[in-house]
Amino acid sequence: MSFASVFKEKVMYFPPYVQEIIEKLIGLGHSAYAVGGCVRDALLGLIPHDYDVATSALPQEIRNIFENTVDTGGKYGTITVITSKKPVEVTTYRRDGEYADGRRPKNVKFSDSITDDLARRDFTINAMAASVNSQIIDLYGGQADLKLGIIRCVGDPEKRFGEDALRIMRAFRFASQLSFDIEAVTLAAALDLSRSLSKISAERIFYELINTMMGQKPSSITPLINSGGLEFLGISHADGLYLLDGHANKLQRESAFAAFCFLCGVSPKEICLKLRSDKYLLEKSSAVFKALCFPPADIADKKRALTVLGEEYIYDAVYLCCLFGRFGASPKSAARQGCGSKAAKSGKDHSQSGLTSCTADKPKSGLKSDAFISCGAKIHSQSAGLPFDDYARHKQQIDYILKSGEAYKLSMLAVNGNDIAKISKSKEQIGKILNFL
């Protein structure tokens, strides 16, 4: 069954609030289509997160037609229509003028043709439009590229990436999220122009990088890193990211980000500060990173790790330690291998043996910690069968600690400092006794 027939028969679904917007525009003599990512996702059998509408109506006409609107980009033709369900961006068809800043066109020219609007889009899989009757306008082979699993630019890749350098990051993000390959000419242009990423705002780079890490295939970004495209962030090495493929999207973003930093030989704190990320990500990813550097191998280690990671994120940390073969390295050997102010490069001493045999439970997520250590160590070579045959044992130890009610932090002890003070008045001695307990 072709993509077109799948789409027409069952995949593309317009929620009533989106259909109402499109039909209202058409009823008043304008043309209107759902465009971009919602069409792509529908063709893939996914439920779109949001819907964008393109129309021949001018921005002022959109404002007049709909009662509740917000001008989110009137200069570029985008008006957000506020519905009772979700906001919908409605954008006038346009042709883009010259790009002066590597991000947005200096000017745009509004059009009455959907053809003009699709021609300006980044990738073929995003350059499709769909009517409420499920008719697809696909001028650049987007459906074929979806079937092939390919990310390909609309038109000349060098022109597209030269217009907006963020499209380079978007290419790798889509490749990771969809587990697609980037078409050869598109990839070559992305790598050639990757140095221009340093001109993009930290917030936009952060969004694309995090979502790349949370995809099905984070290793998609390896060519960009190894070509020097992210050197402005201090990231220049990524030979081990394949270890995260098929695993990162099972973790919460803090754990996935910590694992990415560990494999790239950089500290989460360093990257978070450069990308101006939220404090929560900095603190929690740093705590998971610490567990990767100093793997909690036995029950005593796990109790200590729990005080930093919390009840849920300890599972993420142990899962990653198994995935990377970290339980083959004691904390002391990890320290000898390169703890310091910057994480050491992870090297190429890891193999994929045993990775495909994972039958472990999906790890739980959520982290409660404020610990940070900028420390890195080489990933130990994994012996056959080690990582996930071992995970069940480590998970069982954590389950035992949590179910038994054993204290793993001072606040859980049945005694406190006042109780110990009845035996010893020395504050130093009181602290030692509580920590011992």
Side-chain angles (χ1 to χ4, degrees), residues 219 222 225-226 237-243 263-264 346-348 350:
S219 66
T222 298
I225 295 174
N226 289 343
H237 168 86
D239 290 334
L241 285 181
Y242 66 83
L243 292 167
L263 293 173
C264 291
S346 59
K348 301 180 181 180
H350 37 259

Side-chain angles (χ1 to χ4, degrees), residues 21-22 24-35 53-62 65-66 77 90-94 109-117:
I21 289 173
I22 294 175
K24 194 166 188 178
L25 288 164
I26 293 173
L28 292 172
H30 305 288
S31 64
Y33 299 88
V35 292
V53 172
T55 179
S56 60
L58 295 171
Q60 189 54 51
E61 291 175 316
I62 298 170
I65 292 170
F66 299 99
V90 180
T91 303
T92 305
Y93 306 146
R94 73 176 198 239
K109 185 175 182 180
F110 297 133
S111 168
D112 59 1
S113 170
I114 184 64
T115 301
D116 288 335
D117 198 70

Side-chain angles (χ1 to χ4, degrees), residues 242-243 323 350-357 381-388:
Y242 66 83
L243 292 167
L323 180 64
H350 37 259
S351 71
Q352 288 179 289
S353 60
L355 291 178
T356 57
S357 61
S381 298
Q382 299 185 59
S383 58
L386 167 67
F388 296 107

Side-chain angles (χ1 to χ4, degrees), residues 7 12 14 22 32-40 43 52-55 93 113-115 117-119 121 123-140 142-143:
F7 179 90
M12 190 65 188
F14 289 97
I22 294 175
Y33 299 88
V35 292
C38 64
V39 179
R40 176 198 69 231
L43 289 172
D52 292 329
V53 172
T55 179
Y93 306 146
S113 170
I114 184 64
T115 301
D117 198 70
L118 296 180
R121 295 181 179 266
F123 307 113
T124 60
I125 62 173
N126 296 334
M128 294 180 284
S131 72
V132 288
N133 297 320
S134 294
Q135 294 178 323
I136 304 172
I137 299 176
D138 178 10
L139 305 177
Y140 301 100
Q143 293 175 88

Side-chain angles (χ1 to χ4, degrees), residues 143-365:
Q143 293 175 88
D145 284 345
L146 282 177
K147 189 172 183 178
L148 293 170
I150 287 176
I151 307 296
R152 185 195 312 269
C153 277
V154 172
D156 180 5
E158 289 197 2
K159 180 181 178 183
R160 280 290 173 264
F161 294 139
E163 290 171 342
D164 181 358
L166 189 65
R167 288 170 174 165
I168 297 171
M169 289 295 296
R170 283 169 57 82
F172 292 100
R173 193 236 307 169
F174 286 127
S176 176
Q177 290 179 325
L178 302 174
S179 195
F180 279 16
D181 293 322
I182 301 177
E183 179 266 336
V185 177
T186 299
L187 177 60
L191 298 182
D192 286 345
L193 298 173
S194 62
R195 302 285 176 164
S196 58
L197 287 172
S198 61
K199 301 176 184 178
I200 302 297
S201 71
E203 292 80 6
R204 292 184 179 276
I205 294 291
F206 171 72
Y207 174 85
E208 299 296 339
L209 185 61
I210 285 292
N211 283 282
T212 301
M213 291 307 97
M214 293 296 297
Q216 299 181 62
K217 193 169 69 172
S219 66
S220 298
I221 203 171
T222 298
L224 177 65
I225 295 174
N226 289 343
S227 69
L230 296 184
E231 280 187 352
F232 69 99
L233 295 177
I235 303 173
S236 59
H237 168 86
D239 290 334
L241 285 181
Y242 66 83
L243 292 167
L244 283 176
D245 291 351
H247 298 279
N249 57 344
K250 300 174 184 176
L251 304 167
Q252 205 170 53
R253 63 167 193 159
E254 290 77 20
S255 294
F257 185 66
F260 165 75
C261 290
F262 186 82
L263 293 173
C264 291
V266 294
S267 73
K269 181 177 183 180
E270 179 183 354
I271 305 304
C272 285
L273 292 177
K274 287 181 178 178
L275 291 180
R276 302 170 193 167
S277 77
D278 54 282
K279 184 179 178 181
Y280 187 86
L281 176 67
L282 187 157
E283 293 179 346
K284 309 323 180 192
S285 63
S286 297
V288 176
F289 185 84
K290 177 180 178 180
L292 286 170
C293 291
F294 300 96
D298 56 29
I299 288 181
D301 290 337
K302 288 179 176 65
K303 284 185 178 181
R304 285 188 287 269
L306 272 164
T307 64
V308 178
L309 294 166
E311 293 185 7
E312 297 84 10
Y313 263 61
I314 186 68
Y315 289 97
D316 275 16
V318 167
Y319 185 85
L320 287 168
C321 283
C322 287
L323 180 64
F324 297 166
R326 294 298 295 145
F327 288 122
S330 68
K332 289 184 178 180
S333 68
R336 285 196 301 269
Q337 287 175 30
C339 295
S341 60
K342 296 189 76 173
K345 289 187 176 181
S346 59
K348 301 180 181 180
D349 58 345
H350 37 259
S351 71
Q352 288 179 289
S353 60
L355 291 178
T356 57
S357 61
C358 174
T359 57
D361 294 336
K362 177 180 175 181
K364 297 180 181 179
S365 60

